[in-house]
Amino acid sequence: GESVGLHLPTLSVQEGDNSIINCAYSNSASDYFIWYKQESGKGPQFIIDIRSNMDKRQGQRVTVLLNKTVKHLSLQIAATQPGDSAVYFCAENSRDSSYKLIFGSGTRLLVRP
Amino acid sequence: KAGVTQTPRYLIKTRGQQVTLSCSPISGHRSVSWYQQTPGQGLQFLFEYFSETQRNKGNFPGRFSGRQFSNSRSEMNVSTLELGDSALYLCASRLDPLAGAKVGNEQFFGPGTRLTVL
């Protein structure tokens, strides 16, 4: 079946370093991708999104890269801070007018002080 | 602007009972979606509503149902609860239900309702 998955279930980084969280998707029809951050006890928080007609999109301290050739998505966080510690999910939506996100299993980011 | 709100935040039920969860979307948002989050299955789409109509549905049994009111507020109901229904139920809203998935029409989540079935 179609699925979105993550390569690394847990990522530990030093405060101040850059973080890279990866995601592989299997549905070639997907054309919209989102990264969410979920802190303990909270719902997922939107970070950044990208459509398939783009390769890169930047936000505040975050960059999403999309490689459609290998169906790979990554989230780069610059100068990682303790507040970035959370579980990060990628999600995809297929190429139609509906909005039905398929989520990956999540990567836990731990920031060491 | 207030975010998505969900009530109650925590709920304990026993097998066989039914439960109703409530969600108020961000003001102006017309679409409400529901997701189930469990450690084993992750985040799974339940259904989406707008204009008081179910627009999309995930792969869940008929025990899971929902509805949306004219003010865009939504409720979901689970009947004949099973132990496996224990989960965090998340509601999300977005602005334009007809625009599809695109930049600027992102979906915002509420804090969730933690349901425990004993």
Side-chain angles (χ1 to χ4, degrees), chain B residues 12-14 16 21 36 39 42 48 50 53 62-63 65 81 91-93 97 105-106 110 116-117:
Chain B
I12 299 175
K13 292 285 188 179
T14 56
L21 312 180
Q36 181 196 65
E48 180 187 25
F50 72 85
T53 302
R63 299 185 297 108
S65 63
L81 284 166
C91 169
S93 74
N105 197 30
E106 57 265 21
T116 301
V117 182

Side-chain angles (χ1 to χ4, degrees), chain B residues 1 3 6 17 23-24 26 36 38 40 44 59 62 68 71 78-80 82 85 96-97 102 105 108-109 114:
Chain B
K1 182 185 284 189
Q6 293 186 245
Q17 289 187 307
C23 170
S24 292
I26 292 172
Q36 181 196 65
T38 61
Q44 293 186 291
N59 297 323
Q68 186 182 34
N71 61 357
V78 187
S79 63
T80 319
E82 301 176 0
D85 297 332
D96 187 349
K102 68 174 187 179
N105 197 30
F108 295 92
F109 283 83
R114 173 73 63 184

Side-chain angles (χ1 to χ4, degrees), chain B residues 48-118:
Chain B
E48 180 187 25
Y49 285 87
F50 72 85
S51 296
E52 303 176 59
T53 302
Q54 187 180 90
R55 188 164 186 254
N56 278 306
K57 190 176 189 304
N59 297 323
F60 279 82
R63 299 185 297 108
F64 292 81
S65 63
R67 60 177 177 168
Q68 186 182 34
F69 302 95
S70 58
N71 61 357
S72 294
R73 191 178 67 85
S74 177
E75 290 180 347
M76 68 162 282
N77 185 79
V78 187
S79 63
T80 319
L81 284 166
E82 301 176 0
L83 296 179
D85 297 332
S86 294
L88 180 67
Y89 289 88
L90 292 158
C91 169
S93 74
R94 61 190 178 100
L95 182 63
D96 187 349
L98 300 179
K102 68 174 187 179
V103 172
N105 197 30
E106 57 265 21
Q107 192 165 247
F108 295 92
F109 283 83
T113 293
R114 173 73 63 184
L115 172 65
T116 301
V117 182
L118 302 176

Side-chain angles (χ1 to χ4, degrees), chain A residues 11-66:
Chain A
L11 177 65
S12 180
V13 300
Q14 190 72 38
E15 180 179 356
D17 287 351
N18 296 333
S19 302
I20 299 177
I21 301 172
N22 297 302
C23 176
Y25 64 95
S26 58
N27 184 1
S28 57
S30 294
D31 70 339
Y32 176 65
F33 305 88
I34 312 174
W35 281 101
Y36 282 95
K37 170 188 179 183
Q38 188 173 26
E39 298 174 279
S40 180
K42 298 183 179 180
Q45 175 188 354
F46 172 89
I47 300 174
I48 192 168
D49 55 2
I50 188 169
R51 284 202 71 87
S52 58
N53 60 352
M54 304 171 72
D55 296 324
K56 178 180 179 179
R57 190 158 186 250
Q58 289 183 292
Q60 187 176 13
R61 282 201 308 118
V62 295
T63 300
V64 56
L65 299 177
L66 176 62

